[in-house]
Amino acid sequence: QLQLVESGGGLVQPGGSLRLACTFSGGTFYNHAIGWFRRAPGKEREGVSSISSDGGLTNYAISVKGRFTISRDNAKNTAYLQMNSLNPEDTAVYYCAAGVRLGVPLKWSEYDYWGQGTQVTVAS
């Protein structure tokens, strides 16, 4: 059974940083593109960033470009989302997702497997 588990969320002050991790098990990690999504209270799910199966392609939402960096370590079956210069608008539950896809889609419907999410709260 393919599973994704997010970790690394928490409370951080504005301007601070967090690194989220997505641990993949029960499948072939290097076959899957990975996406990070978030859902803030009262808002729709938003695609944040994605990375291709080999790590060669990345994609970012305009709202996080230049502040967030996605990466993956296929030897560790883990993907990461480094988040810098966080602001209160980044507060949300962050989910990672996996799908056997070409490219780096940011549409949630392109992914087949989802983690349970990790809460990120940016507040002073």
Side-chain angles (χ1 to χ4, degrees):
Q1 187 83 3
L2 197 152
Q3 286 188 322
L4 301 170
V5 179
E6 302 93 340
S7 60
L11 173 64
V12 63
Q13 291 186 342
S17 299
L18 282 175
R19 188 175 81 152
L20 305 183
C22 173
T23 303
F24 177 107
S25 63
T28 306
F29 184 60
Y30 59 79
N31 284 351
H32 290 74
I34 298 295
W36 283 97
F37 295 78
R38 67 186 181 187
R39 176 171 277 166
K43 295 187 178 180
E44 294 187 355
R45 181 167 32 185
E46 174 190 15
V48 174
S49 183
S50 56
I51 188 167
S52 59
S53 58
D54 66 354
L57 293 173
T58 58
N59 194 10
Y60 296 93
I62 293 173
S63 58
V64 306
K65 201 165 189 177
R67 300 188 297 122
F68 291 11
T69 303
I70 192 171
S71 62
R72 64 189 294 158
D73 185 338
N74 284 355
K76 294 183 178 180
N77 286 1
T78 302
Y80 303 95
L81 185 69
Q82 177 68 43
M83 305 187 296
N84 299 329
S85 301
L86 286 162
N87 59 62
E89 289 69 40
D90 297 314
T91 295
V93 178
Y94 284 71
Y95 302 88
C96 68
V100 179
R101 295 286 183 273
L102 295 177
V104 281
L106 281 178
K107 294 182 180 180
W108 65 268
S109 58
E110 295 286 338
Y111 294 86
D112 305 306
Y113 304 97
W114 292 82
Q116 292 186 329
T118 186
Q119 176 71 47
V120 171
T121 302
V122 185
S124 55

